[in-house]
Amino acid sequence: MKKNAYLGIDIGGTNIKIAAVEPSGRVLTRGIIETPAGKGPTAAFDRIRRAVPTLFGDQWRVAAAGVGCAGLVDSRKGRLLTSPNLPAWNQTPLRRIAVKALGVQTYVENDANAAAYGEYKCGAGEGYENVICITLGTGVGGGIVSGGKLLKGASDFAGEIGHMSISVEGPLCKCGNRGCLEAYIGKNALVRSAREKLKFKKGKVLGNLSERGKRELTPRMIFQAARQGDRVAKEVLNEAADYLGSALASLVNIFNPEIIAIGGGISGAFDLMKPRIEKKVRSRAFDAPAAMVRITKAVLGNDASTVGAALIAKESAK
Ligand SMILES: [Zn+2]
């Protein structure tokens, strides 16, 4: 007889990650398919359906599916409301389309919330009940688990940590607000900051890596240069650590978490930023919650949202 496993799906603007996940959260197999961004979700779930037999093999059956999707997701109605990177998918009944294609119960959630749930259940937050997970990349995503429950708010929009305004007159964010955390420490903000600094300051290693502006700067170049002691790169990361630390201090005061897990591509420089982030949190948050919180790197990497979505499906299907 086939054993139960869960299909975890993470829908991003470029790729869709899929995984067969055991009830324990262990990933059995994973795959990646291109997002048919312009064609809408029906075409996407058709591709996912065709990938399922390879993913699950002869021994496992799909007990339920969980979808983490970038954008504003109404998980109760199973609808994707808006997604900045998937405009053709706006206002679509994701769950209904998924159920029709896959033939199993399906649950949808925002991707960052799904990733936070994955880290909480079987990643950096395992064994804790109060966990905040922040994903640093082009966007800054967040998810909050409080008292063992994913914090959803009145209409599912809770946890948008990247759009917490940390400065009244700060730079304009793509969400329309000013001074959002994302506008300071998102990928584009880091690259812009490095580029500006290189105009006025010496950053020999970083300058060489970008061939004096001929190659486009990337966060990876900034990390590499910082590791080699480049002044500009270190300054960029120090500033990012200060912004993040200040934002985390507020989160510590509001949510009193045991663990804050930092994931996503930018977290490749977490070890360089950690001392400064911790210092900011300890100096700005109230002593008692600041003393107990651990700030750590997320451990599930690219699996966080598929595992989280699969485990949300498992819990919801009970
Ligand atoms: Zn914003």
Side-chain angles (χ1 to χ4, degrees):
M1 205 175 86
K2 288 189 180 185
K3 289 180 277 183
N4 276 350
Y6 296 86
L7 173 59
I9 302 167
D10 173 67
I11 299 175
T14 317
N15 291 310
I16 298 173
K17 285 178 276 181
I18 47 176
V21 181
E22 275 191 89
S24 67
R26 192 174 76 91
V27 176
L28 291 162
T29 48
R30 44 177 83 71
I32 192 156
I33 45 188
E34 204 181 310
T35 309
K39 286 189 182 164
T42 306
F45 279 100
D46 196 44
R47 287 187 192 177
I48 295 167
R49 177 182 56 78
R50 280 183 272 139
V52 165
T54 318
L55 215 55
F56 280 69
D58 299 331
Q59 292 181 25
W60 302 89
R61 66 175 276 269
V62 187
V67 182
C69 187
L72 293 177
V73 175
D74 180 337
S75 63
R76 272 159 273 205
K77 291 194 178 129
R79 288 181 73 85
L80 174 62
L81 301 181
T82 57
S83 184
N85 298 319
L86 293 165
W89 294 45
N90 287 350
Q91 296 294 342
T92 45
L94 268 196
R95 181 168 63 205
R96 207 164 69 209
I97 294 166
V99 168
K100 199 171 166 202
L102 304 170
V104 292
Q105 273 188 297
T106 303
Y107 302 86
V108 298
E109 185 55 75
N110 166 270
D111 58 348
N113 276 354
Y117 197 74
E119 287 290 340
Y120 155 61
K121 277 291 182 184
C122 49
E126 192 176 352
Y128 297 96
E129 293 287 287
N130 300 284
V131 179
I132 293 179
C133 186
I134 301 184
T135 311
L136 305 178
T138 305
V140 174
I144 297 160
V145 173
S146 185
K149 282 210 155 68
L150 191 61
L151 197 76
K152 313 267 291 175
S155 50
D156 272 10
F157 298 148
E160 290 289 345
I161 292 167
H163 300 283
M164 184 164 72
S165 187
I166 56 170
S167 166
V168 176
E169 295 297 335
L172 201 61
C173 178
K174 70 173 192 285
C175 75
N177 191 3
R178 275 195 182 277
C180 289
L181 182 61
E182 182 173 303
Y184 287 101
I185 64 163
K187 181 188 154 211
N188 297 337
L190 293 188
V191 168
R192 194 181 320 116
S193 160
R195 218 170 29 222
E196 289 298 314
K197 287 187 199 310
L198 274 179
K199 284 184 194 160
F200 307 105
K201 291 179 182 171
K202 270 212 183 98
K204 200 160 170 247
V205 183
L206 192 57
N208 285 343
L209 284 171
S210 67
E211 293 168 20
R212 306 273 141 224
K214 277 191 220 125
R215 285 176 69 198
E216 196 159 340
L217 270 176
T218 62
R220 196 182 287 262
M221 286 180 196
I222 299 171
F223 305 162
Q224 195 184 335
R227 287 188 198 287
Q228 292 176 43
D230 182 273
R231 226 176 81 193
V232 165
K234 275 165 63 180
E235 209 175 293
V236 170
L237 292 185
N238 283 345
E239 284 176 11
D242 286 347
Y243 288 127
L244 182 56
S246 308
L248 295 190
S250 300
L251 294 174
V252 164
N253 282 349
I254 298 168
F255 295 105
N256 189 192
E258 294 147 298
I259 288 274
I260 298 175
I262 313 284
I266 307 290
S267 70
F270 178 70
D271 59 314
L272 297 172
M273 295 160 73
K274 184 178 176 184
R276 229 176 145 101
I277 295 172
E278 283 184 330
K279 201 171 154 205
K280 258 302 183 257
V281 170
R282 310 264 184 256
S283 67
R284 293 206 169 190
F286 287 117
D287 288 345
M292 72 168 301
V293 67
R294 274 186 56 214
I295 302 166
T296 178
K297 198 172 167 181
V299 300
L300 293 182
N302 281 334
D303 288 332
S305 51
T306 48
V307 167
L311 293 179
I312 287 170
K314 179 190 138 192
E315 303 288 325
S316 309
K318 266 180 189 168

